[in-house]
Structure formats: C-alpha cells, structure tokens
Amino acid sequence: MATTAEATTRVWRRHAAAALASTVFPAVFVQAMLLANWHVEHPVFVPGDDSPGIAANGGNLIAVPMFAVAAIVCLLFPLLWGIAAFRTGQGKAVKDLPAITTVLQVVALLVALPAAMSLPYNWADVTALVAADLVALSVALRPRWPRRTSPGPA
C-alpha cells in the first residue's frame, strides 16, 4: 500500500503535467495572432478592385485582437493547474479546482480548434490541443475511477 506522501507526490505530478500540457492553448492563440497580424501587415491587392487591400484582410483585422485576448485568457489554465499542483504538494485539498479547470479547457477547445486548423502544420496543433484536454480529463477524473478491491491471485 502506498503511503500518503507517495500518493500526494503522484497527484502533484499529475497536476504539474496538466499545467505543462495546458500551455498549448495560449501558444496556439499566439501563433494564430501572429499569422493574422502578418496578413494585416502584408495586404493582398486585388487587381481591378481599387481597394488598398484592406477589404481582403478585414477578417484578419478583427482576428488579431480576438486572438490576443484569447491567448491572455488561456494563460488562466496553466495558472489554475499550477495552483492545484502547488496546493497538492503542500498537502492541502484542492477539491473541485481540477474539474473546473478541465471544463474551462474543454470549452476553450471549441474555440481553439478552428484557430488551430487555420495555422500551418495544423495537425500538430490540433493533436497537441486534444492531448492537453485528454491529460486534463484524466487528472480530473482520476479520483472518480473505481479502485481495484480484489485481493489478487490466491
């Protein structure tokens, strides 16, 4: 049977892994913001349109501040997981913080997936986002998994 200190260390490591994995969310939004900003600074001129290129990049003009705000908001995920890891490492209860953070991450995934699909190498970003959510789900649901109570081989 594992001691309480060993169990606390395992839980602390899981929370720290979730904190590290959740840094993918702000990174994806920063990449999307930089790509949209590049399109704004390098407008595409449409021949015969007489526009300065702004019409073709109107969506990018709106996307830059939205992605910037999303990147700042998504910094909340590593912070919350870090708080959970720190409090668990000190032996204090974190109660519902992992579940709340996981729900927020899953909601953010709905916004982050379209942004990740617009990036170059989108398969890597989408895979990283889904993996970060799976890590968060496994950490949040771990206390609810049934324990094996069988005495083992006789």
Side-chain angles (χ1 to χ4, degrees):
M1 181 112 184
T3 65
T4 306
E6 291 172 356
T8 302
T9 302
R10 282 195 304 261
V11 173
W12 181 84
R13 287 181 180 162
R14 286 188 207 115
H15 286 112
L20 186 61
S22 66
T23 59
V24 171
F25 283 90
V28 164
F29 283 119
V30 166
Q31 288 176 354
M33 179 190 63
L34 292 174
L35 182 66
N37 190 39
W38 186 87
H39 285 295
V40 168
E41 290 178 358
H42 301 89
V44 176
F45 297 102
V46 179
D49 188 12
D50 293 335
S51 70
I54 301 298
N57 293 319
N60 289 320
L61 287 171
I62 296 169
V64 171
M66 286 178 32
F67 288 147
V69 169
I72 292 169
V73 168
C74 284
L75 287 174
L76 180 70
F77 305 143
L79 176 69
L80 290 175
W81 282 116
I83 290 170
F86 183 71
R87 290 185 56 89
T88 303
Q90 289 184 336
K92 298 178 182 175
V94 292
K95 290 199 143 208
D96 294 331
L97 187 59
I100 292 168
T101 307
T102 301
V103 169
L104 290 174
Q105 260 185 248
V106 170
V107 170
L109 182 68
L110 299 175
V111 177
L113 278 179
M117 290 300 294
S118 68
L119 297 173
Y121 304 107
N122 57 9
W123 56 270
D125 292 319
V126 169
T127 304
L129 286 170
V130 171
D133 268 351
L134 290 177
V135 168
L137 280 171
S138 70
V139 170
L141 295 177
R142 180 76 176 176
R144 292 172 179 85
W145 289 346
R147 304 277 188 250
R148 285 187 259 187
T149 57
S150 63

